[in-house]
Structure formats: structure tokens, C-alpha cells
Amino acid sequence: MLIGAASCGWVISASAQVAITGTVRDASTRLPLASAHVIVRGTQRGTITNHEGAFEVTVPSLPAKLVFRYLGYGLSEFTIGPNDARSVSVYLEPVVYPLPELLVVGDAFAAGVMGQVIMRKAARRAHLPAYSSAGYSRITLERRDRAVLVGEYVYDRYRDPERGFRHVVRSRRATARFHTELGLTPEPQDLSQDWIAIGGLDFIGPTHPDALSHYIFTFAGRRQMGSRYVYDMYVAPRTNLEATLIGRLAVLDSAYVLLEADLKPADHVVFGADVRTWDLFYRQQFAEVDSFWLPVGLFVEGRIHVEPDGVSLAPASVRQVAQLKDYQLGVTAPDEVLARPGTWQTDTLSVLMDDLFLMGLDQVMLTPRELEAIEAARGRPELTLRQALPAAPRQRGADREAEMFAAGDPPQFVWPAFFGWEPQLRYNRVDGVLGGVGTVMELGGAGPMEVAGRIAQSLGLGRTRVEVATRHRWSSRWAFTLKLLQDLRPVQDPVIHPVALNSLSARLLRRDYFDWYWSQRAGIALQYQRQRVRLLMSSTVEGQSSVERQVRHPWPYRRSFPPNPPVADQLRVGAELRLAAGANWQPYPTTAHRRVEIRLEYGHAGSSGGYLRSLLRADAFVNTFRRSRPEPARLMLRLLTGASSGSLPIVRRHGLEGTLGPLAALGTLRSMTGRSLAGQHVGGLYWEHDFRGLLFEALGLRRWAEAGVGFRLAGAHARIWPGAGSTQEASVSLVRAPVRLDLTRRLNTPGWFVTAGFVGRR
């Protein structure tokens, strides 16, 4: 270790204490070492270096001895006397392993060491009493070298042997608070726990009682720490079926405890549907507290790309630092804290006073970039998630344009925008080929008012299509939309299959799934959204008429398409109320999710009188087998029901959907090929049990399971009335993401059917 006095540094005065600042660097490369641990010898005081290797720690008095630790580097100590500089530069030497041949015994030695760690941890934790500690956490999110969120939290942390952890926030400062929407919390993980919560999943810890069955431990080397040795070893998953970690561990000889851990989720782990990338490293160090070894800090760094509810966002760089100190064994949480639900609570009065940051706490030093973000946020409204992490212009423009023309949930599939313009392309038996463009723009520059437009022309019908929409956002929760359009519309509103995929069916498979009519429509809508609850109130005036023109089947087919059903030339006026809770609507459920939606509509069409229409959609799932896995076996359910009364016009009838060519999904009848049924009342219960690779594991074909080959059972029970009767069917599916192959048996009128579908990413 090389140490030199710095010419200047950050100094904070505190009563009866001395502030020591400095930097920690690699002695060979001179690069800063982030998350190096700095401990005041003989105390529980300590801190972690920030992203630039800088640290700040207070000592009770001088002289004081500082201990510097970093995984893969030699332990170093330095004494600061009363007359020494208060700012130091520390250079840690990377460890070179000159090992006796006796120790190079391969994986068996590493497994033996970890077996001792697991056994002794279980013995210690059995006697670990309730305790408390003081905690400090900071989360920083950056985009394109600019900090968009800095959140600091000071809290009391309690552990109860029976009820787990409780955190009481005493002081809080944050430029924004959308980090929770991305799955980030200030609560530090404990990498020595049996189960480690990361990104919404529970990972098997490397010291779990069954860790030797899930991990391969490889001996990397030995280094000296005082009079004892530290064993460094690599850890990697045995299979890709469990939520496991990969990285390095440091184990203290003779005590057989974790001293340091540097881990990240293994590459095979699949997170939730909202997570596109979760590439974070977790570094943690442990210290002895009355014969128990407990975490004293955590450093998290990496990159994530999370899109809550399918909202297009940009990736973000993440840094999180946490300190835990002042452990007091035998201290239990107050009864009122244990009585409240949730692991995070807030002491409102203490947070309002916000004075804990001024009491000389050993916080991790802010970087210049973080200081700039805090200064820029003063006196300004908090950034929303979309403002802080806007998606790439072409994707953001396409999503916004699609949202404005869609009532309620955004479409599941959206054309990308190019240079601010979204292409429009489709094929059906009336238009033939239709092409056009759409765009969206902000008025005033700030974005509360948006205007979107589309224009298209068909080669068949010859009518120009025009759509215009404006949206005004009063706040992050309320929005008002006005829409005007003239275009072809499906006679039954699509529930599962989108119009875009129907173009492929009509062009390639000579089957136009939808019937069409001409619509000229004006509508207004008021939308409210808070977290995952959405309310939409809308009113529509529509002029509707039949379209008779048909194009011939495209080459090489010669037959004509069937005609569209007649639609009365009349004016329809309607008002609708929608209430939805949970995830966005996924016509093709590529991931398991929970959602419920209710629609009520009252309208009047021409001289036929009024009508009342209602609809209920619900999605749910329950994990069944191997629940600890990132992708457990699960049962997925979908309920689609609709009812009506009065003189219901043909364009408002409820539909019961079949396959689109060979394409089926949860919510369609796989034994009803290339068509749909319509009626006044409809009810359908659809279920699908995804067994993942459990069948192949049971048959001894573990390689198939690890390759992502899965097995599903499914069924549907649907009825439409009056007329048409009911349908029952059962299916067996072979799956390898992103596709599924089904074999379906219709039960009420026997027949066999083969279909395919999407199952999401692997």
C-alpha cells in the first residue's frame, strides 16, 4: 500500500469528532476503486468509497487507525496522528497468489470451505438475537452522463427473528422518487441470506443450506489478513433452471464466514415482463459484531432497462451505496413499528425536520455529477419517469401516436417511427393495399398539449383516410383527448387479434379475419390514471355505412373474398365508462399478469332505439410448482364476458374469437379456425397451465429443460347466445420461446386442430 498526503480535500467539522477524507486507488493502474470499505479500527464506524474512489469518515479522536479492504486486494491499515494531514490518498496492491501446491486441490476444497460456511452460518443465525442498526442509502440514476435522480435515506433498521426486517426512515432527500417504479428500493440486500431479493425475484444465496446443490464453487487463491488467511473463490450456477448468482466470494479462514461478496444475477435469469435488462453488480462486505458477522455496506453498480406497464423508456445507469453501522444486539423494534404492515415505514415528523444530514453522519461522499443534479433540482418540480428516461425518439413518437388513437390501453404492437413519422401499412379485402404515415408533435414545447395525425390512401376502395387527435395533460394523472377520423373499421372490435396481423392473414392465407364497414367518427375522452388504476370516460358520435367493394384474392389465388355483412346507414351516439386495474391489456399474453377491466356503454343508433352494453375482462395467474424458480410452473386464467340489452347495432355486438390462420392465443378458441362469432351475450373462460420443463426433468431429459423446452395443458369453455351454442376444448402444447405449437381436441363436437402462438422471450 502506498499512502501520500493530499494537498486539499473535503472537510466537515463535527463536535468532538475529526473528519478524514481521501481517495482509494489501484496501486498499479492508479484507477479509483469504487466500493472499497473504510473502517475505523476498534469501532463500528466506516464508510464506502464512491464511484470516484473518494471517501469521508469521522473518527472520535486522534490518533486513529483506518483499515482499507477491497475484494482481490491486500488489506491495508494506516494510522493518522494529531499532526497529520486530514486528507489522504490510499493505493491498494492487487493480490498475487503464491500458493503452496497443497492448497491447489480444485473444486473439492472450495466445496469443503463453503460447506463449513453454510454449517456455521446456520449455527450462528440460530442464536442471533433481535438487533438494530443505523442505515444510510443513496440511489443515483444517470442517463447519458447526467444524473436524473439522486435519493438519500437515513433510517433505523430492525431485525426481529420471527418477523424479519423493519426500516423506519428518519430523514429523506430526493430529487425524484420514481426509482420504485423501476424495482429499486433503498433497502440494502444481505448477500449472506438464504434468499436474496433482486429485481422482483428471490435468488438462492450462495450460503443457502442447499447452495452446494445449486452452485459450483472454485478455489481462486489465498491471501493474508493480519494473522489469518482469506480464501477467494468463484461461484457459478450448476444449472439454468433456478434464480442464481455468479461472481466471487471471500471467506475468512478458521471462522468460516463471508468477508466479502461480489455477485450479479446469472445471465440465464429471466426477470419480469417489464425488465428488458438488469445488469447490476452487488458488492458487499461484512464485519464482526459480538461474534456475529453482519453486513456493513453495499455497493450496486450497472445498467438496467425497465419499462413499467410497457411504457417505452431509455436504459439507465444505476449506482446505489448503503451503510449499516451502530449495531446493537438485543434491541427490538418498537411495538408500533412491528404492528404496521410493510418493511418500510416513515417517521413523518423526523422527515419534515430533515436535520439528520447535519449531524456529522458518515455518509458516502457525493460525486460532482450528483451535486450538480441536486443543485439543478432545487425549486423545480420532480421529474416523472418519462421525463427522466425518455425513449429513443422513433420509439417514443410511435408509442405516443398510438396511445392517442387508442382508447384506454396502448396497443401491444406498434410500428416504429422513422424521423418522427410512423408508417401505416395494411391489407384487407376492401382496401387491398393501404399505405400512409402518422406523426405526433408537442405544442408549446413543454408537452402538456399534443397533436397527432394520420393520413393514408388505399389502392382498392380509393377513399382517403384521415385521423386527427389532440391530447391535453392537466397533470401526470389527468388527460383530455379529442379525436376525429374516417376510416374502415372491423364490424366487431378486435379483442385478441390485431388488425396488423390480419393483413398477413388476408394477403398470405387468403382469409380476411374481419368484416368491415365505413366509419366517420368524432369522440372526446377524459382519462385518469394513478399507478395501475385507470379510468376512462368517453363519448362518441359515429356515422356508419356498408362497404361492398371487394378485391380478388392475391396471386396465386383466384377466388374472391366473401362479401361484408350489410351495416345500416345511420348515426350512432354512445357514451362509455371504463375502469381497469392492474397491468396493461395484452391481447397475446406473452407474460403472466393480473388485470381486471369493466366497461359500461349506453348508446342510441338511428331509429332502432337505445341499447346498454357491458363487458368484463380479467386476467390472473397462480404459481403452482417450483415457486422459488424465476420461471415457476403457473396456471394462467382469462375471463371474457359480455352482455347487452335493447336494440344492439351489429357493430356493437360481442365477439367470440377463433384462430387467425394458424395463430391462437389465450382467449381464443383454437378449434375455431380463421373466424369469429358475434352475438348479444358471450362468455368464455380460458386457462393454460405452463409446466415449464418439469415433465422433461421428470423423464430424465434435463438438457431439454435447460434448453427452454416446455410443456403446457390448456382448455377453453365458451358460449355465445342466442344461437351458436357452446364450445369446450382441451389442448396440449410444446413450447420453446418465443413460439408454441398446440394440438387441440374439441370436446363437444370431436375434431383435432393444430395451431401455434407466441409465448414471449426466453
Side-chain angles (χ1 to χ4, degrees), residues 150-223:
V150 179
E152 296 181 282
Y153 300 82
V154 176
Y155 50 88
D156 294 334
R157 178 180 169 101
Y158 300 94
R159 178 193 178 271
D160 184 87
E162 297 180 356
R163 304 187 189 183
F165 287 101
R166 295 290 191 276
H167 304 79
V168 181
V169 177
R170 301 296 185 188
S171 197
R172 177 179 60 208
R173 292 180 180 179
T175 61
R177 303 179 191 181
F178 55 75
H179 56 275
T180 56
E181 300 179 56
L182 302 176
L184 300 170
T185 67
E187 178 178 358
Q189 287 88 354
D190 183 348
L191 301 183
S192 69
Q193 292 280 9
D194 294 344
W195 296 97
I196 303 168
I198 295 175
L201 298 178
D202 288 329
F203 286 74
I204 299 174
T207 60
H208 186 280
D210 298 325
L212 294 176
S213 300
H214 299 288
Y215 288 102
I216 297 173
F217 297 96
T218 304
F219 183 68
R222 184 183 70 171
R223 53 193 163 100

Side-chain angles (χ1 to χ4, degrees), residues 1-3 24-25 27 37-39 41 65-70 73-79 90-94 223-226:
M1 177 186 72
L2 306 175
I3 301 180
V24 180
R25 297 178 179 272
H37 213 76
V38 184
I39 301 173
R41 173 69 77 185
K65 182 176 289 187
L66 299 182
V67 180
F68 299 89
R69 280 175 22 195
Y70 194 82
Y73 290 76
L75 179 74
S76 299
E77 297 186 0
F78 180 66
T79 301
V90 180
Y91 297 90
L92 298 184
E93 296 282 357
R223 53 193 163 100
Q224 199 161 2
M225 190 179 80

Side-chain angles (χ1 to χ4, degrees), residues 93-283:
E93 296 282 357
V95 172
V96 179
Y97 297 110
L99 296 174
E101 293 183 2
L102 182 63
L103 285 179
V104 185
V105 292
D107 296 348
F109 177 76
V113 170
M114 290 307 301
Q116 288 289 324
V117 172
I118 293 168
M119 181 180 66
R120 297 197 185 193
K121 187 194 86 170
R124 290 188 181 97
R125 293 292 169 95
H127 298 90
L128 181 62
Y131 65 77
S132 69
S133 63
Y136 166 81
S137 291
R138 181 167 78 240
I139 298 175
T140 303
L141 268 72
E142 294 184 354
R143 178 178 179 266
R144 294 180 179 175
D145 299 327
R146 182 176 69 91
V148 295
L149 179 147
V150 179
E152 296 181 282
Y153 300 82
V154 176
Y155 50 88
D156 294 334
R157 178 180 169 101
Y158 300 94
R159 178 193 178 271
D160 184 87
E162 297 180 356
R163 304 187 189 183
F165 287 101
R166 295 290 191 276
H167 304 79
V168 181
V169 177
R170 301 296 185 188
S171 197
R172 177 179 60 208
R173 292 180 180 179
T175 61
R177 303 179 191 181
F178 55 75
H179 56 275
T180 56
E181 300 179 56
L182 302 176
L184 300 170
T185 67
E187 178 178 358
Q189 287 88 354
D190 183 348
L191 301 183
S192 69
Q193 292 280 9
D194 294 344
W195 296 97
I196 303 168
I198 295 175
L201 298 178
D202 288 329
F203 286 74
I204 299 174
T207 60
H208 186 280
D210 298 325
L212 294 176
S213 300
H214 299 288
Y215 288 102
I216 297 173
F217 297 96
T218 304
F219 183 68
R222 184 183 70 171
R223 53 193 163 100
Q224 199 161 2
M225 190 179 80
S227 60
R228 295 198 249 185
Y229 286 103
V230 175
Y231 297 125
D232 291 327
M233 57 189 66
Y234 300 109
V235 54
R238 285 190 180 274
T239 74
N240 62 4
L241 299 177
E242 309 285 352
T244 46
L245 303 160
I246 189 169
R248 297 192 300 172
L249 302 174
V251 176
L252 185 62
D253 188 19
S254 69
Y256 291 102
V257 295
L258 277 189
L259 189 66
E260 299 164 337
D262 189 349
L263 302 170
K264 69 180 291 288
D267 291 340
H268 70 264
V269 176
V270 177
F271 288 85
D274 296 342
V275 180
R276 300 183 63 179
T277 303
W278 193 281
D279 191 17
L280 298 182
F281 289 83
Y282 296 78
R283 303 185 184 101

Side-chain angles (χ1 to χ4, degrees), residues 342-363:
T343 61
W344 276 90
Q345 303 169 24
T346 301
D347 183 338
T348 306
L349 180 60
S350 179
V351 169
L352 288 174
M353 293 175 63
D354 195 28
D355 58 357
L356 295 183
F357 288 106
L358 306 177
M359 296 178 63
L361 296 173
D362 293 324
Q363 303 165 21

Side-chain angles (χ1 to χ4, degrees), residues 516-640:
W516 303 91
Y517 76 101
W518 182 254
S519 170
Q520 294 177 303
R521 171 182 297 200
I524 58 173
L526 181 65
Q527 186 170 0
Y528 172 83
Q529 180 169 346
R530 182 175 183 179
Q531 296 179 347
R532 291 198 164 192
V533 176
R534 296 172 292 281
L535 175 68
L536 179 74
M537 296 172 285
S538 63
S539 179
T540 302
V541 178
E542 180 185 49
Q544 55 193 41
S545 59
S546 297
V547 286
E548 299 179 357
R549 180 180 173 83
Q550 306 288 331
V551 298
R552 293 183 60 84
H553 275 302
W555 184 89
Y557 310 113
R558 295 299 181 186
R559 294 175 300 164
S560 297
F561 284 106
N564 286 297
V567 173
D569 292 349
Q570 59 186 5
L571 187 69
R572 182 180 65 85
V573 180
E576 185 180 45
L577 173 67
R578 299 186 188 182
L579 179 63
N584 282 336
W585 170 245
Q586 294 184 24
Y588 293 150
T590 54
T591 57
H593 61 280
R594 294 184 176 92
R595 168 194 168 86
V596 62
E597 178 183 7
I598 298 173
R599 298 187 185 185
L600 295 174
E601 177 186 349
Y602 177 78
H604 190 281
S607 60
S608 57
Y611 65 90
L612 182 64
R613 183 176 184 266
S614 62
L615 182 146
L616 171 65
R617 297 176 181 173
D619 289 331
F621 72 93
V622 58
N623 294 333
T624 54
F625 307 110
R626 299 296 179 94
R627 299 182 184 180
S628 63
R629 291 186 174 182
E631 293 184 293
R634 56 172 52 116
L635 175 65
M636 294 175 286
L637 301 169
R638 171 164 280 182
L639 177 66
L640 300 175

Side-chain angles (χ1 to χ4, degrees), residues 402-426:
E403 280 181 17
M404 292 180 65
F405 289 112
D409 292 312
Q412 188 174 11
F413 304 104
V414 177
W415 284 92
F418 298 95
F419 304 103
W421 296 90
E422 181 191 358
Q424 305 290 320
L425 184 65
R426 73 184 187 208

